């Protein structure tokens, strides 16, 4: 795991190079390397976190034996040892996967090498013979890669912070990107917060020609190639599917166990992380180091469950209990950790867990990706049931209900529903339920099921009122999403939508930046290429049974630990934002959302924001998600 940065154009002074590479030192604290061709005006810099071959033989930028290719690389090629076995009569100079990648490029060429490698990666390759620079990002988007023109320089980097240190950087914030940010807490590829700077999409490679300055972006892997018609579905029994999936997970974990530095795993106590840890422990000759964090608030605390599972599996378990003060200390650093506005509130516990884990190991396996591939989110079932009821109701009836709901207040709905809350199960006793009911009523007239889902997962349906400039923006996911796939399977349609949007733009961003800020490498076994391609060929019945998702994963996990240790309601990895904004974060929130300051900056509608903040602070409404988006943006803006 490392950090890379480079550019074609101007400014190659040592002082400039040093300032830029130091901005990525957290991604690579162990070593620094540079390669500059002054005649061609190209510079490649690299910060190294040594994982495989920790000697100087693995230093980057690395030049191929023929001197044709120069490589800067961030990530891991998990099958690089298998690739080496297929290469005969070559004298290896190191045991690093960087050298494996370079030799592959020389033997097979660019596209064939991409087809062979499995892993998480973002890398740049300069081809001296063709005078072309190639930028490549892994299939799912585990590793980040930004690029773009700034003045007369074409710059690329693992993180925005390195680009902002370049003398040519133009600090132009893209207003229209805020439309997506305040709806979904993130800025999706291929966009960034700054004009002129993009993220390379997952499964893509970019070609930059030094002579013509032309840029071309192409896909080398597309999940739609593995989404089958009925004839292509997995043909075996449920038992066959379970056995094959278990073998694939075992193979993935086995490859991702390879490390020349201490390795462990995150263990939340949920199904996904427990499955990874159980299989990891079954393959290890000694107790695996596992890590979890706990909270004083029982509604957010999974640590006791994680401890029970760790005890059963006999791992070397480490847990850290944090209080509100510990969490609040992290908040001022969010803008620095994430480079651009990012406001999934589970970013904070993820960072704290990463910092705690790094004290013991350098590599940690995680259970991310299981929900999107195997139907783990509760919202899939809820949205499917809701659409079933909505779509059976005539559109004119739904329009009447929607228009009528516009005259209702959340306070009125809360009052009407309060008598029945006493009889509801605890997990349905939602405070301020009126807001949720109104949100549902306002989207009741949607005509397509995916439109319903996108409204359900958004933070607000009043984005136009929230923004100072009404620059409508539609996420790239909408432009690239193939609505014809899974046309009659709404749940799979939601899953693939999340796989293409929520997973790379939220989950994997949160994980990469939080861990790398602590110089910790995280690996995600569920996102192995073979598992992904197999998962999309499975019938929905292999994923969801009754009211529970991850059917096959549950069955596999039950072979390693008792069902009683993991069968419980799903719990998010979050923090009690609503009460904190009213309590310990109150003054901070009021200061950042100052009406005059918002008016001078020109990003948000100050009067509307003031209304939301006052309603939330008074307890009249719960606007925690929207306010957190605004607060994170304002905090980032203040630091940038």
């Amino acid at each position: 795991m490392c950090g890379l940065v480079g550019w074609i154009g101007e400014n190659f002074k040592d002082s400039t190079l040093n300032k830029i590479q130091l901005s990525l030192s957290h991604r690579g604290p162990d070593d620094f390397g540079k390669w500059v061709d002054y005649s061609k005006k190209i510079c490649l810099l690299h910060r190294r976190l040594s994982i495989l071959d920790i000697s100087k033989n693995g230093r980057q930028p690395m030049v191929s034996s023929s001197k044709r290719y120069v490589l800067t690389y961030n990530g891991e090629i998990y099958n690089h040892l298998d690739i080496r076995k297929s290469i005969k009569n070559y004298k290896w100079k190191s045991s690093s996967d960087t050298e494996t990648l370079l030799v592959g490029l020389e033997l097979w060429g660019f596209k064939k090498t991409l087809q062979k490698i499995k892993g998480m990666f973002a890398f740049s390759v300069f081809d001296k013979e063709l005078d072309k620079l190639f930028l490549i990002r892994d299939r799912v988007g585990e590793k980040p890669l930004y690029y773009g023109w700034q003045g007369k320089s074409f710059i690329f980097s693992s993180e925005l912070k390195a680009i902002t240190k370049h003398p040519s950087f133009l600090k132009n914030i893209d207003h229209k990107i805020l439309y997506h940010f305040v709806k979904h807490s993130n800025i999706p590829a291929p966009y960034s917060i700054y004009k002129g700077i993009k993220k390379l999409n997952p499964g893509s490679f970019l070609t930059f020609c030094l002579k013509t300055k032309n840029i071309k972006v192409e896909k080398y892997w597309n999940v739609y190639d593995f989404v089958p018609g009925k004839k292509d579905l997995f043909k075996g029994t449920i038992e066959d599917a379970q056995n094959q999936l278990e073998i694939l997970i075992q193979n993935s974990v086995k490859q991702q166990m390879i490390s020349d530095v201490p390795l462990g795993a995150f263990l939340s106590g949920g199904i996904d992380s427990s499955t990874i840890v159980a299989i990891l422990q079954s393959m290890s000759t000694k107790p695996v180091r596992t890590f979890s964090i706990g909270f004083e608030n029982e509604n957010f605390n999974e640590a006791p469950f994680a401890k029970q599972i760790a005890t059963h599996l006999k791992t070397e378990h480490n847990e850290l209990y944090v209080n509100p003060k510990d969490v609040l200390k992290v908040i001022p650093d969010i803008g620095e950790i994430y480079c651009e506005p990012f406001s999934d509130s589970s970013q904070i516990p993820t960072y704290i867990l990463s910092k705690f884990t790094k004290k013991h190991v350098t590599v940690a396996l995680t259970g991310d990706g299981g929900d999107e591939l195997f139907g783990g989110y509760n919202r899939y079932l809820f949205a499917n049931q809701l659409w079933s009821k909505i779509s059976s109701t005539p559109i004119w009836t739904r329009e009447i209900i929607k228009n009528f709901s516009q005259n209702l207040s959340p306070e009125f709905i809360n009052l009407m529903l309060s008598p029945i809350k006493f009889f509801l199960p605890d997990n349905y006793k939602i405070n301020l339920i009126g807001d949720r009911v109104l949100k549902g009523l306002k989207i009741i007239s949607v005509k397509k099921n995916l439109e319903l889902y996108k409204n359900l997962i958004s933070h607000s349906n009043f984005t136009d009122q929230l923004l100072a400039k009404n620059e409508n923006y539609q996420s790239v996911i909408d432009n690239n999403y193939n609505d014809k796939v899974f046309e009659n399977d709404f749940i799979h349609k939601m899953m693939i939508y999340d796989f293409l949007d929520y997973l790379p733009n939220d989950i994997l961003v949160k994980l990469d930046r939080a861990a790398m800020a602590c110089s910790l490498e995280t690996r995600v076994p569920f996102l192995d290429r073979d598992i992904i391609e197999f998962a999309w060929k499975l019938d929905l019945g292999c994923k969801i049974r009754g009211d529970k998702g991850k059917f096959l994963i549950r069955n596999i996990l039950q072979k390693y630990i008792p069902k009683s240790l993991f069968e419980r309601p799903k719990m998010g990895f979050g923090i009690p934002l609503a009460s904190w904004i009213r309590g310990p974060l109150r003054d901070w929130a009021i200061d950042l959302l100052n009406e005059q300051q918002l008016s001078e900056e020109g990003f948000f509608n100050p009067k509307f924001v003031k209304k939301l903040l006052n309603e939330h602070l008074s307890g009249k409404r719960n606007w925690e998600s929207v306010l957190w988006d605004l607060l994170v943006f304002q905090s980032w803006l203040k630091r940038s």
Side-chain angles (χ1 to χ4, degrees):
M1 198 69 67
C2 306
L4 62 91
V5 60
W7 62 93
I8 300 168
E10 302 176 324
N11 299 298
F12 299 120
K13 293 180 180 178
D14 287 342
S15 58
T16 300
L17 271 59
N18 193 50
K19 180 174 68 173
I20 292 174
Q21 62 91 3
L22 282 173
S23 69
L24 294 178
S25 59
H26 57 287
R27 294 190 76 93
D30 298 328
D31 198 7
F32 162 64
K34 67 178 179 180
W35 181 89
V36 183
D37 187 326
Y38 294 98
S39 63
K40 294 183 178 180
K41 295 184 178 180
I42 179 169
C43 171
L44 304 178
L45 305 178
H46 187 265
R47 292 291 322 199
R48 186 182 181 203
L49 177 62
S50 302
I51 303 294
L52 296 177
D53 191 346
I54 60 178
S55 74
K56 296 298 181 182
N57 292 330
R59 172 175 279 183
Q60 299 181 47
M62 188 178 287
V63 181
S64 65
S65 57
S66 70
K67 310 300 182 187
R68 175 177 175 176
Y69 298 107
V70 187
L71 171 69
T72 52
Y73 163 54
N74 167 29
E76 302 289 349
I77 306 300
Y78 298 129
N79 64 333
H80 93 100
L81 292 179
D82 294 330
I83 291 173
R84 284 193 172 204
K85 290 177 184 177
S86 69
I87 298 173
K88 309 299 181 184
N89 303 318
Y90 180 82
K91 188 175 181 180
W92 298 97
K93 301 177 183 65
S94 73
S95 58
S96 77
D97 52 347
T98 309
E99 186 182 5
T100 307
L101 189 53
L102 270 174
V103 173
L105 289 171
E106 294 209 302
L107 289 177
W108 304 310
F110 189 72
K111 292 186 178 180
K112 192 172 180 181
T113 301
L114 284 178
Q115 291 170 4
K116 287 179 176 289
I117 61 176
K118 292 169 59 178
M120 56 176 182
F121 49 82
F123 58 91
S124 70
V125 180
F126 179 54
D127 186 335
K128 295 182 184 180
E129 187 176 301
L130 297 179
D131 259 358
K132 289 183 177 180
L133 173 76
F134 297 94
L135 303 180
I136 305 95
R137 194 176 180 201
D138 64 61
R139 293 170 177 84
V140 189
E142 291 185 61
K143 294 294 103 187
L145 193 52
Y146 293 82
Y147 70 93
W149 283 101
Q150 293 290 282
K152 295 181 179 180
S153 295
F154 177 79
I155 314 174
F156 55 93
S157 179
S158 297
E159 293 187 15
L160 265 179
K161 57 170 63 77
I163 294 176
T164 63
K165 295 291 189 293
H166 194 277
S168 298
F169 175 67
L170 305 170
K171 192 178 178 180
N172 295 326
I173 293 176
D174 190 348
H175 279 251
K176 71 177 185 296
I177 211 70
L178 294 180
Y179 187 87
H180 186 281
F181 172 69
V182 295
K183 273 184 169 291
H184 300 292
S185 304
N186 63 69
I187 296 173
Y191 304 101
S192 85
I193 188 62
Y194 293 114
K195 292 179 180 178
I197 300 296
K198 292 184 175 182
K199 303 182 188 85
L200 189 61
N201 269 323
S204 301
F205 70 92
L206 177 150
T207 306
F208 181 96
C209 180
L210 266 68
K211 293 178 182 176
T212 64
K213 302 296 187 289
N214 286 338
I215 297 173
K216 184 180 182 181
V217 178
E218 303 172 69
K219 294 285 286 184
Y220 69 87
W221 186 87
N222 195 325
V223 68
Y224 286 122
D225 294 337
F226 306 97
V227 175
K230 289 184 179 179
K231 63 182 177 60
D232 300 315
L233 283 169
F234 179 76
K235 296 297 193 299
T237 64
I238 286 290
E239 291 75 20
D240 294 334
Q242 180 179 316
N243 291 336
Q244 188 165 336
L245 178 59
E246 185 174 8
I247 290 170
L248 289 174
I249 297 173
Q250 288 171 340
N251 290 342
S252 177
V253 170
K254 185 177 181 180
Q255 287 186 329
Q256 297 191 28
M257 286 172 69
I258 298 173
S259 172
D260 293 332
V261 294
L263 177 143
F266 290 168
L267 179 60
S268 68
I271 290 169
D272 297 327
S273 67
S274 298
T275 301
I276 297 303
V277 169
I279 290 176
L280 177 63
Q281 183 62 73
S282 72
M283 294 179 169
S284 180
T285 57
K286 58 183 180 180
V288 170
R289 295 178 181 180
T290 52
F291 303 89
S292 65
I293 59 172
F295 299 95
E296 296 171 352
N297 187 327
E298 290 184 2
N299 294 324
F300 295 85
N301 187 26
E302 282 191 298
F305 306 120
K307 189 172 184 177
Q308 290 174 8
I309 291 170
T311 300
H312 181 84
L313 293 173
K314 296 181 172 59
T315 70
E316 184 185 316
H317 192 55
N318 304 266
E319 63 179 7
L320 172 71
Y321 268 79
V322 296
N323 57 44
K325 289 182 180 179
D326 298 320
V327 177
L328 295 174
K329 288 177 184 176
V330 177
I331 290 176
D333 297 324
I334 287 176
E336 179 68 19
I337 293 168
Y338 289 90
C339 297
E340 62 182 338
F342 178 80
S343 49
D344 179 334
S345 61
S346 61
Q347 64 201 136
I348 298 175
T350 302
Y351 172 77
I352 294 173
L353 176 59
S354 298
K355 190 174 182 180
F356 172 57
T357 302
K358 175 60 180 179
K359 293 178 181 178
H360 304 270
V361 299
T362 307
V363 178
L365 273 59
T366 84
D368 295 287
D371 288 311
E372 291 80 5
L373 290 174
F374 297 98
Y377 291 126
N378 295 330
R379 61 181 183 247
Y380 295 148
L381 290 170
F382 173 76
N384 190 52
Q385 293 166 358
L386 183 60
W387 176 248
S388 179
K389 293 174 182 177
I390 287 177
S391 59
S392 63
T393 305
I395 186 66
W396 62 267
T397 304
R398 287 187 272 147
E399 288 285 359
I400 291 174
I401 295 173
K402 176 187 174 183
N403 292 334
F404 174 74
S405 71
Q406 292 177 354
N407 298 317
L408 298 177
S409 69
E411 294 83 6
F412 175 77
I413 294 173
N414 287 331
L415 182 65
M416 292 297 100
L417 294 178
S418 59
I420 67 169
K421 286 180 71 176
F422 177 79
F423 301 99
L424 293 175
D426 288 341
N427 57 319
Y428 285 97
K429 291 178 179 178
I430 306 170
N431 291 327
L432 303 176
I433 196 173
D435 285 316
R436 297 194 180 195
V437 172
L438 275 183
K439 183 177 181 180
L441 291 174
K442 287 179 180 178
I443 63 176
I444 199 171
S445 62
V446 295
K447 296 178 181 178
K448 292 185 177 181
N449 52 22
L450 192 61
E451 186 181 351
L452 171 79
Y453 183 61
K454 287 189 288 186
N455 275 281
L456 285 175
I457 61 177
S458 69
H459 287 179
S460 73
N461 53 8
F462 47 71
T463 309
D464 292 340
Q465 294 172 269
L466 199 59
L467 299 177
K469 295 184 178 180
N470 188 10
E471 296 187 55
N472 196 11
Y473 166 77
Q474 189 175 35
S475 170
V476 67
I477 195 68
D478 295 336
N479 299 329
N480 291 341
Y481 183 80
N482 186 348
D483 198 39
K484 299 300 181 184
V485 174
F486 294 127
E487 195 168 8
N488 299 313
D489 185 346
F490 183 29
I491 292 181
H492 258 134
K493 185 180 286 191
M494 290 184 278
M495 287 168 58
I496 202 167
Y497 188 86
D498 280 344
F499 181 84
L500 292 169
D501 185 18
Y502 182 61
L503 179 64
N505 295 319
D506 188 302
I507 299 297
L508 296 179
V509 169
K510 173 183 66 180
L511 182 64
D512 174 81
R513 305 309 190 278
M516 291 311 297
C518 307
S519 303
L520 175 74
E521 174 173 302
T522 48
R523 299 176 179 176
V524 191
F526 276 122
L527 297 185
D528 176 83
R529 183 180 70 189
D530 293 340
I531 295 176
I532 293 169
E533 294 174 3
F534 178 71
W536 290 115
K537 290 186 166 84
L538 292 175
D539 184 83
L540 189 62
C542 291
K543 302 172 184 179
I544 297 177
R545 292 287 180 96
D547 62 349
K548 293 179 180 178
K550 293 186 279 201
F551 176 71
L552 290 184
I553 304 293
R554 290 172 188 270
N555 285 355
I556 292 170
L557 181 56
Q558 196 172 344
K559 294 172 65 175
Y560 297 88
I561 63 175
K563 196 174 181 179
S564 59
L565 291 182
F566 65 84
E567 284 293 3
R568 61 181 183 277
K570 188 177 179 66
M571 187 183 292
F573 195 38
I575 54 177
L577 267 182
S579 60
W580 283 8
I581 292 173
R582 296 186 185 108
L585 293 178
R586 183 186 182 96
D587 292 341
W588 177 72
I590 292 172
D591 178 60
L592 282 178
L593 300 181
N594 177 277
E595 190 172 357
Q596 182 179 344
Q597 183 175 305
L598 292 179
S599 180
E600 291 172 356
E601 292 164 351
F603 295 107
F604 302 110
N605 180 341
K607 293 191 180 301
F608 191 72
V609 171
K610 183 179 181 181
K611 173 179 175 292
L612 297 181
L613 181 60
N614 287 340
E615 287 180 347
H616 184 86
L617 294 178
S618 68
K620 184 179 179 182
R621 305 287 291 272
N622 182 4
W623 299 121
E624 62 177 329
S625 296
V626 178
L627 290 175
W628 186 246
D629 292 336
L630 300 177
L631 289 166
V632 166
F633 178 85
Q634 289 300 113
S635 180
W636 170 84
L637 188 65
K638 198 171 184 179
R639 291 194 67 137
S640 65

